[in-house]
Structure formats: C-alpha cells, structure tokens
C-alpha cells in the first residue's frame, strides 16, 4: 500500500547540495507497525512527512495507496488527509483555543460529518479513551499523557487507514509513554497501519518492523525479533 | 464548521488581549470617524431626493454674459411666457419668499420665515400632496396652504380647512382662508415652506418698493425663482432654442442675458458658481472628506494586517494542525477572513456609540447640522454595514492569504514567521501609515499657514484698529450717527460705504470704453462717503480723494484703481470724463484687495454717495476699543433704539471670511490626530511583539558585551529610518494635493520646506514615544533567561 523507491530529499545551497534523504526504498503493508529509528538529524521526521504527504521528495517515486504521490494534486492531498492519514506529534499539537471535545471533533468537521453523527462519534471516543470527565477542559489544563491521548483520539476519529506518529512519547514520562504505546499497539492489533518515529529502544519494540536511518540512508530493515520470538 | 471557527476565533481574541484591544480601539476609532463623515456625505448626496419626479423638475437660471454671472432669480413674467409658449413644459410656477410675513395667534404676531408666494402649479411640479382643495388652490388671492407643523401650531387639533387666519403682510392686516395642508417639506430640500400664498403678495411688495414699475410685467424685476416640470420625453435642446427666441423678443437682437434650465438633482451640489441665496453643497468638500475617511480606514486596516501577521506565531500552530487534519487552504482562508469580519462586526456597536458621542463636536467642525434624516435611515444602515464589512475584508484579505499558504512543516519547526521578507512587508505597511499621518500633518500646517497669511497680509488698506458697524437698518440716520461718532477723541476718523472690506458680494457694471463707445468692459463699483477712503487708509496715487471742499463731489466724481485705469485704457486719467453717469475721474488709488484673497483685485470705480451707506468703518486709536464701544453703543441707541447694534472689528470680520479655511485645518488636524492614535496603537503593539521575538538575539548580543545603550539605540535607529522615509515619500502627494487646494486663492503662501521638517520632527517624536519603552525593556533582558533553551 505504501511504496517508496529511490526517494531523495535535498536542499540546494549556493555551493553544495545537502542530502536529508538519499535513495530510500521502502514498502509498508496493510497492518504493519513500522518503527523508524536513528540519531538526530538522520532524516526520520522528513521521511515521515513525505509519507504523510506534508512534504514532497526532491526525486524518486512514491506510491500512496498505489497512486503516484509525486503527481497528486493539492486538492487530492487534502482529501487524503481527511480520509486516509492521521497524525500525532511529539508536542501533541492540540489547538489551544479549543477544549478536548472540540479538538477531537475538528477532523470530523473537515470530513463533512453531520452534527448529530459527530456528537455520537465524539462521545463514543471520549468513552473509549476514558476522558469523558475531561471533555470541557482546555489543553493547558491537561497532563502531557492526557494531551497525547486526546491527540490520538483526534487522529483516529476519522478512522484513517494510516497513523503517523512523530516521537509520540518524546515529551512524556516513561509511565505515560508506556500507556500511549500500549494504546498504539492495541490500535495496530485492530488493523490500523502505524508508522512511528522514536528514539526510545524499548518503545521501538512495540512495532513489528524496525528500520534504522543514518545520514539519510536506510542502514537496516528488520522484522522485530522479539516479536517474532513471541509468535 | 462556522461554529468551530467562531469559537476558536473568540477564544484566541480573548487570550491575546493586547492584540484584540489595539485592534478594537483602532477599528472603532476609524469606523466612528468614517461614520460621521458618511453621515455628512449621505445627507449631502441625498439632498432634494425626496421629490419623486425630480428628474423632470427644473429651475430657470439667467446668465449675464457681460459680468459672467449666473443668477437663479428671474422675473415674474418669465413663468407666464413659458406657460404660453413652451409646449413641452407641463407646469411652471414662479416663487418668491416674502419678507416679513406673520400670522396672528391670540393677539400675538408669529413670524413665518418661509412664506412662499407662488401659483397653484407649484403643487403639481413638486408633486406635493395636499389635504383640502386640490385644484387651483391659490387662485383666490387670500388663500393660504399651511404646512402640517404650522397648522398644528395655529389650530391645535382642530380641522383648519376653511378657517380664517389674520396675517400681517406688506404692512397691513389681511384675512386669509386656509385651503389646504401639506406635509412638512423634507429638511434636505431646496423648497422650504411654512406656507404657500398667492403670488399677488410678493408682487404687491415689489410694486411698493419700485413705485414706477409694474412687477407683473417688468422683465427686469428679477426677484422670482422659476420652477417647471418638463414632459417626460421633452428635448432639452428644443427648450434652448425656444429660450433664444424668447430672449430676442423681449430683450432685442443682442440679448444681454440668456436663460437656461438646471435639473433639480443638480441644484444643490452643482450651483457653486451660481448667485443664489439658496443653500449650496460643495462637491469638493464631499470629495475631501470622503478621501479622509478612506485614508483613516486604510490606516486601521493596515494596523490589523501588521498586528495579525505579527501575532501569527500563536495562530500558525492552529493552522498547521487544522491542515494536517484535512483543512484545505481555502477553508483556512475563509476562517481567517471570517475572523477579521467578526472583529469588525464586534466593533460596529462600539463605533456607533462613539460617533453618536462625538456628533455634536463634529457638527461644530463641519459647520453644519448632522441630521439623522428619517428617509435616509436604510441608506445609513446599508452604508455602515457595507463599510464595516469592507474594513473587515480589507484587513483580513492579506492576513488570510498569507497565513493560509504557510507550509505545515515550517509551522511545526517554528520558522514560518521569522522570515526576513515578512518583516519587510510589515515595515512597508508601517511606512504607508506614517506617510498618511505625515500628509495629514503637513496638510494641516499648510492650510494653517495660508490662513495666517490671509489674516496678516497687507491688503492695501488698514488691517487693524478698524471697527465696522452695520447701519443697514437705519438708512436715513446713518449720516447723523456718523457725525456723532466722530466727536469722540479716540475716533481718528469714520466713514461709510456700501460694504465692509474685504467686500463679500460684488457690484459689477459694464462700462463703455472712453475711446471707443461701442466696447464695454466689466468693472466693479463701490459707493463710499467722503471719509471712507481716508478712514480705511487707501492710498491715493494721483489726483485727490473725495472731499467736502469740492461741492461738486457727488455721484459724478469717480476714483479709479490702477487696474481700472488700465482696463479703460486711460493714459492721463485725471479729469477724464467717463460713463456711468457722465462723471469725471478725480483721482487714482493704489490697487487694494477689494475682495478676500480668494480672488484677484478687480478694476474698481468708487463713487461718493451717502445714499448707499450700509456699513460704517471707524478708525480708532489703538487700544481704545474697550472704552469706545459703550460710547458708540449709546450713540446707536439714540438713533435706533429698537434696532440691534451689530458691529465687528476688522480682525473678527476677516476671521469670519476665512472660517472655511480655519475649519478645514481644524478638521484635518483632528484626523491627523486620529491617524496618529490609530497608527500608534499599531506601532506599540508591533514593537511589543518584535521585542519578544528578538529576545534571543538581544540575549546573545548582551552575552557578547553589547551595552544597554547600544541596544536601545539600534532599535530606535531602525524606527528613525522609517520615519525619514515616510516623511520624504509624503512630500510629493502632499504638495500635489495642497497646490490644488491653494488654487482657491489668488494670493497664497509658498509651501516651505519647514512644513516637512516640522512634520518629520512630530512623527519622529510620536514614533520614539511608542518605541522607547519597549526598547528600554528589551535592553534590560537577562541573557540567562533569554537564552535558556525551551
């Protein structure tokens, strides 16, 4: 469903070309839980952004749901953001001016879901994530873990096919991080395809496949041994 | 979706109180100012719009080619001729307002200021609905048609139709029968009337005044406005042709005056050049004020743009999030546009309140009543809403298109708003604001200096220590009054004339050239008594002034000014015989400014005659006015005990003449202040955000040993450069516009460089005041805190 071949991302300055990504080949299948690891500045986030159609590769071919993404028009991308892709971020990125309920509701509005249905759906998610009591609070009144919980609820309420998580536990205590990872694992078990970027070795193990990036190149791509052993 | 946007907008505004406060203040000031101007403009433009068939209503104007004067008064007989000979004129009526018409109410005489003498067709021309008799309502000379206000006053609830009223007209009592009632005329119309009566009464009044002439048939007794209603598809050129024929018939082959018609829709705003006692609007003022309103709106809109792009840091994150969750650029743009429109709408009630509050002061400034006219209410509402929407759109358009196009990745990397190019845009906008401010300031200074110039420039006669006393009401006793005043030791001299100087009206006359009697030139006349020339200190160059010693000095001795000597082609003027009434030139005076400095010095002929004295000029010893005035007043009371004592010093009189200029300068300086306030709010807010975003930079500078003083200076320097650029750029438009304004004057100041220097200093002061506080605060930043990561 996702296929990258020979993806380059570079910036041209006056005298030289700086590569962020170089010749990335990657295939992700339905139901995968892929972890991207690597040191700071390796290009992990850029890769995630390209996959999430936020950024465009400088060269190479990218197929998103078998569609050549390097040719997708802006309008179509907006459509994909509405129906196919959910995002969660290290800094949570909730809208400060909206409360929990309204934050979760936002993507449904853009998908054109009718008011009644929206209400029911948000209520359902609040319930599922155990945050009914917090629905009227604003992001600044929540702990980091709670904020990320809301962010995940918001990301998946439109039932996207792909969830992209950019260091979802980076700003959290380990305990809260654990909770978030367990939630992601559960979503994956239910069939959601997830790609996450992380620095944390332990949390990386939640995925069923780990790729390591260094200096814009894929250094290794392996099925998660621990998980396989478990199977 | 709208609700979601509205919520986040309102909460964002609530959280960013400085941003919101500054914008609300700026927008409401700008809106209030433009509301006031709009009220004025709408009222002016809606003048005479209360008459349904206004497109077909015309008045007849009369043009006198010799003097290049157009007058709105014609003879009574003209209407009659038009009625008989012009088939395309459906109705025509002459109207004349009666002086001194009063009606008795319980033994008391109530004067009606707008008693209109006319014929029945006036009601058809203006389509005035009447209760009562409908046909030929004024046919009986003792008929009267009252306005509903007057009917209410004289009959208090009774039905007035058919009842009698006792009126005092032409110095005698007459019984009038009320034949009908009409609704009060719209206040913004040229046809003002308390009552209509038969044209018999003004005719009688004229016949009493001009005993040897018949006002009903005399083509030269021009005391009537002639109004007519044209057929719908009448051809205006055919009317012109008919007028030419009529002129030939009544005035002979070489007609000295020609008639033409003016549509009612042009009467109010298109009559600047027409000699008329009717209220006139000025399309020029409408233009000036509308452009001021527009400039103020621009400043406020720029403020919004400057601030909202500056605080976009807080906003861009939300935009990024919305985009990653499926918001398109268009929907973001719509959201931001809604935001600025909501802001403007929130300001609307506040602005309305503010303009209501300042309305009385504005009335004083504009020298006109700012009426809220009922028939215009819908227009006001629509215009105000449209303006509010416009300001919302104008402010939101740039911000929304700029912010909605931001790249999501850049937003999350927090680098979207620190781009250098964006801050250049902001600086440009501030410079534009400053240009507008500077133009207002230098415009005010130029108008002020012209005003001062007009008051102080030597007009060629005594410019101070002169008192003018209006003696119109005592035409027979003015000589006695003058003699009695002259006895006081503090009076150096006193003399009378038809007019005070500078003369406001004019008395043009066509005079034959002495060498070639077939040619005529236009010259102006001024009748003075023996002492006026000396009292006013008008310099005699050749010959002599009028003097009692020469018994012959009467209406046949003339003084000319240099211009007149030139116009008449005289080489050695003294003792030359010239026209008027076979007179002799006895002297030549130096050219002086007969009229205000708006116009050139005309060729002038002065004639000595006590018969026309309307104004008395008194030249008093400097500083004695205070004790002289009560003495003169007692003299006045001796000759005219029941008449008010009207006087003014020449300084007061000149100030009165140039009130238009003074008011304009005050108005523009007010708007300069407004623009300064609004722009300052913006600058204040912006500097606050700028300093915040430069915290890190300042921290680093301090770590590397920059002194606090140099940090303050570097911040100030940037702003001074902006002020300098703005001042320079404001010069060409200001000079262009002000030079056009100065063409109103024949005698005018040069626009000096000091105007712009002063403007620069003022703008610099205002800007520094705004920026200095923030700069100082910025210099006090603790580098440890500024550089702490996250």
């Amino acid at each position: 469903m996702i296929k990258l071949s020979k993806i380059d991302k570079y910036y041209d300055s006056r005298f030289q070309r700086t590569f962020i990504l170089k010749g990335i080949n990657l295939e992700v299948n339905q139901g995968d839980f892929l972890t991207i690891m690597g040191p700071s500045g390796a290009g992990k986030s850029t890769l995630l952004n390209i996959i999430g159609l936020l950024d465009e590769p400088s060269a190479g071919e990218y197929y998103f749901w078998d569609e050549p993404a390097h040719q997708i028009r802006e309008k179509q991308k907006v459509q994909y953001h509405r129906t196919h892709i959910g995002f969660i971020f290290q800094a949570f990125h909730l809208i400060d001016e909206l409360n929990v309920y309204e934050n979760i509701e936002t993507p449904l509005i853009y998908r054109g879901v009718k008011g009644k249905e929206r209400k029911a759906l948000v209520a359902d998610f609040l319930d599922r994530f155990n945050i009914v009591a917090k629905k009227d609070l604003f992001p600044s009144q929540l702990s980091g873990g709670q904020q990320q919980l809301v962010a995940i609820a918001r990301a998946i309420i439109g039932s996207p096919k792909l969830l992209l998580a950019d260091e979802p536990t980076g700003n959290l205590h380990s305990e809260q991080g654990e909770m978030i990872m367990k939630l992601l694992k559960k979503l994956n078990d239910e069939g959601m395809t997830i790609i996450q970027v992380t620095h944390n070795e332990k949390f990386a193990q939640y995925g069923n496949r780990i790729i390591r990036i260094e200096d814009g190149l894929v250094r290794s791509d392996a099925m998660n041994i621990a998980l396989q052993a478990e199977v | 979706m709208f609700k979601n946007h509205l919520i986040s907008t309102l909460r964002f505004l609530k959280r960013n109180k400085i941003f919101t406060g500054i914008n609300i203040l700026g927008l409401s000031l700008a809106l209030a100012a433009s509301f006031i101007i709009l009220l004025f403009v709408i009222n002016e433009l809606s003048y005479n719009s209360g008459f349904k068939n206004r497109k077909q209503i015309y008045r007849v104007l009369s043009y006198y080619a010799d003097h290049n004067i157009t007058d709105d008064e014609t003879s009574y007989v003209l209407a009659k001729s038009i009625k008989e000979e012009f088939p395309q004129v459906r109705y025509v009526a002459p109207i004349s307002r009666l002086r001194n018409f009063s009606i008795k109410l319980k033994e008391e005489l109530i004067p009606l200021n707008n008693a209109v003498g006319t014929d029945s067709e006036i009601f058809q021309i203006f389509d005035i609905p009447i209760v009562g008799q409908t046909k030929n309502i004024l046919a009986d000379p003792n008929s009267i048609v009252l306005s509903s206000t007057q009917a209410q006053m004289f009959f208090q609830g009774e039905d007035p139709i058919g009842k009698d009223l006792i009126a005092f007209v032409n110095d005698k009592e007459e019984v009038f029968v009320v034949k009908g009632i009409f609704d009060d005329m719209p206040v913004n119309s040229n046809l003002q009337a308390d009552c209509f009566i038969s044209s018999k009464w003004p005719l009688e009044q004229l016949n009493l005044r001009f005993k040897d002439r018949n006002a009903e048939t005399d083509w030269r007794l021009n005391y009537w406005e002639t109004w007519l209603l044209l057929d719908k598809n009448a051809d205006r050129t055919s009317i012109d042709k008919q007028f030419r024929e009529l002129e030939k018939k009544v005035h002979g082959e070489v007609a000295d005056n020609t008639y033409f018609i003016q549509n009612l829709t042009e009467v109010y705003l298109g009559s600047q050049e027409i000699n008329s006692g009717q209220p006139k609007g000025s399309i020029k003022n409408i233009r000036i004020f509308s452009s001021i309103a527009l400039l103020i709106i621009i400043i406020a809109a720029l403020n919004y743009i400057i601030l909202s792009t500056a605080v976009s840091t807080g906003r861009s994150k939300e935009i990024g999030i919305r985009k990653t969750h499926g918001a398109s650029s268009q929907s973001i743009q719509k959201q931001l546009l809604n935001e600025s429109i909501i802001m403007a709408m929130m300001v609307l009630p506040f602005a309305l309140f503010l303009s209501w509050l300042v309305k009385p002061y504005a009335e004083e400034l504009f020298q006109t009543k700012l009426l809220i006219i009922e028939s215009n209410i819908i227009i006001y509402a629509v215009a105000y809403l449209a303006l509010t929407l416009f300001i919302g759109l104008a402010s939101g358009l740039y911000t929304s298109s700029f912010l909605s196009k931001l790249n999501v990745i850049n937003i999350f990397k927090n680098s979207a708003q620190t781009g250098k190019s964006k801050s250049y845009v902001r600086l440009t906008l501030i410079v534009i604001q400053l240009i507008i401010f500077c133009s207002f300031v230098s415009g005010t200074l130029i108008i002020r200096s012209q005003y001062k110039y007009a008051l102080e420039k030597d007009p060629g006669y005594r410019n101070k220590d002169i008192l003018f006393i209006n003696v119109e009401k005592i035409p027979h006793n003015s000589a006695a009054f003058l003699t009695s005043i002259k006895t006081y030791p503090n009076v150096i001299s006193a003399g009378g004339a038809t007019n005070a100087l500078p003369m406001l009206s004019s008395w043009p006359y066509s005079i034959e050239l002495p060498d070639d009697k077939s040619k005529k030139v236009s010259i102006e006349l001024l009748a003075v008594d023996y002492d006026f020339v000396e009292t006013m200190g008008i310099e005699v160059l050749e010959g002599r002034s009028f003097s009692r010693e020469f018994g012959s000095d009467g209406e046949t001795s003339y003084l000319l000014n240099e211009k007149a000597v030139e116009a008449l082609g005289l080489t050695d003027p003294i003792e030359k015989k010239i026209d008027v009434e076979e007179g002799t030139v006895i002297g030549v005076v130096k050219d002086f400014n007969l009229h205000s400095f708006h116009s050139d010095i005309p060729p002038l002929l002065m004639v000595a005659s006590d018969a026309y004295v309307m104004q008395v000029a008194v030249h008093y010893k400097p500083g004695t006015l205070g004790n002289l005035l009560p003495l003169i007043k007692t003299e006045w009371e001796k000759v005219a005990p029941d008449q008010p004592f009207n006087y003014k010093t020449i300084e007061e009189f000149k100030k009165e003449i140039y009130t238009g200029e003074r008011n304009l300068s005050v108005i523009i300086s007010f708007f300069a202040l407004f623009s300064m306030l609004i722009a300052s709010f913006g600058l204040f807010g912006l500097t606050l955000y700028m300093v915040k975003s430069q915290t890190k930079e300042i921290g680093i500078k301090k770590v590397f040993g920059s002194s606090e003083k140099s940090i303050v200076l570097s911040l100030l320097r940037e702003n001074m450069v902006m002020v300098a650029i703005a001042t320079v750029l404001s010069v060409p438009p200001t000079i262009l516009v002000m030079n056009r304004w100065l063409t109103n004057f024949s005698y005018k100041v040069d626009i000096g460089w000091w105007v712009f220097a002063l403007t620069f200093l003022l703008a610099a002061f205002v800007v520094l005041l705004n920026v200095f506080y923030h700069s100082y605060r910025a210099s006090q930043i603790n580098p440890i805190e500024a550089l702490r990561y996250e």
Side-chain angles (χ1 to χ4, degrees), chain B residues 348-561:
Chain B
L348 179 63
F350 191 54
L352 276 178
F353 175 71
L354 207 64
S355 49
W356 174 77
L357 220 62
V358 300
K359 206 181 84 162
Y361 304 100
E363 280 177 340
E364 214 151 286
L365 267 187
F366 287 110
Q367 288 291 299
T368 153
K369 273 253 163 271
L370 290 170
L371 297 172
I372 296 169
I373 299 164
E374 224 168 285
S375 56
N376 282 346
I377 287 210
I378 295 174
I379 306 179
Y380 300 141
V382 170
Y384 285 5
L385 261 174
L387 188 69
T388 313
L389 270 177
F390 170 76
I391 202 172
L393 271 174
S395 342
L397 222 48
Y398 174 77
T399 317
S400 63
S401 63
F402 161 60
L403 283 178
S404 67
K405 291 205 176 62
L406 286 184
N407 186 307
V408 179
I409 299 167
N410 288 341
I411 290 173
F412 290 145
K413 277 190 194 150
N414 242 338
S415 61
Q417 55 288 325
T418 47
K420 262 263 185 280
S421 67
K422 280 305 149 211
S423 78
Y424 276 128
V425 170
R426 268 199 304 264
L427 291 182
T428 312
L429 298 183
I430 293 178
V431 168
I432 294 175
Q433 284 190 319
L434 285 173
I435 290 174
I436 296 176
F437 170 66
C438 290
S439 305
F440 276 155
V441 171
S442 39
T444 310
L445 289 174
I446 291 166
I447 296 173
R448 288 291 311 183
S449 64
Q450 172 65 25
Y451 175 63
K452 249 185 95 184
Y453 172 84
L455 290 187
E456 286 168 6
K457 181 186 159 38
D458 177 18
Y461 50 80
R462 237 181 278 289
N463 215 358
K464 54 179 188 186
D465 303 328
I466 294 282
L467 181 73
F468 288 116
I469 301 161
N470 186 334
V471 295
E472 261 174 80
K473 299 276 163 115
I474 49 162
H476 312 301
N477 296 332
S478 63
F481 175 62
L482 256 169
T483 324
S484 63
I485 296 176
K486 283 179 197 159
T487 57
Y488 291 108
N490 282 338
V491 173
I492 299 170
S493 67
T498 42
N499 294 81
L501 293 181
M503 193 168 159
L504 293 180
S505 55
S506 64
W507 186 3
Y509 183 82
S510 289
I511 188 167
E512 288 168 4
L513 286 181
D515 294 341
D516 181 358
K517 300 273 187 201
S518 66
K519 276 189 195 150
K520 284 183 169 185
V521 287
S522 183
I523 189 168
E524 291 198 21
L525 302 185
L526 177 66
V528 299
D529 70 3
Y530 287 111
D531 302 311
F532 188 76
V533 172
E534 187 210 329
T535 306
M536 290 309 294
I538 296 165
E539 195 182 328
V540 179
L541 294 177
E542 278 180 74
R544 60 173 177 88
S545 176
F546 299 120
S547 164
R548 284 186 187 78
E549 287 155 33
F550 297 79
S552 65
D553 277 3
E555 302 201 1
T556 54
S557 296
Y558 303 139
L559 276 177
L560 297 178
N561 70 354

Side-chain angles (χ1 to χ4, degrees), chain A residues 11 46 49 54-56 74-75 78 81-82 85 87 89 91-99 102-103 105-107 109-110 118 138 151 154-155, chain B residues 1-5 7-9 11-13 15-16 314-315 317-318 321-332 335 407-409 412-413:
Chain A
Y11 293 104
T46 306
N49 286 337
L54 291 178
D55 207 349
E56 280 172 16
E74 198 56 43
K75 243 186 174 158
V78 171
H81 284 146
R82 288 181 190 172
I85 312 170
F87 282 98
F89 304 92
F92 322 130
H93 285 335
L94 296 175
I95 299 178
D96 299 328
E97 279 76 34
L98 299 181
N99 62 27
E102 291 154 354
N103 259 298
E105 187 190 25
T106 302
I109 292 171
Y110 291 115
R118 222 156 59 203
F138 286 88
R154 185 182 62 183
Chain B
M1 181 164 328
F2 183 70
K3 191 182 150 211
N4 184 283
H5 290 170
I7 287 172
S8 74
T9 297
R11 289 188 190 142
F12 175 78
L13 295 180
R15 213 157 49 100
N16 290 275
R315 222 59 224 281
K317 191 183 119 192
E318 177 188 336
I321 297 165
R322 285 185 185 275
K323 275 191 160 180
T324 53
H325 287 89
S328 59
S329 292
Q330 290 94 311
S331 93
I332 299 283
Q335 176 187 358
N407 186 307
V408 179
I409 299 167
F412 290 145
K413 277 190 194 150

Side-chain angles (χ1 to χ4, degrees), chain B residues 39 51 114 137 180 189 213 263 335-336 340 465 493 602 631:
Chain B
L39 184 66
F51 301 108
N114 278 312
I137 193 164
S189 78
R213 294 156 94 172
N263 189 262
Q335 176 187 358
L336 293 169
S340 63
D465 303 328
S493 67
L631 298 174

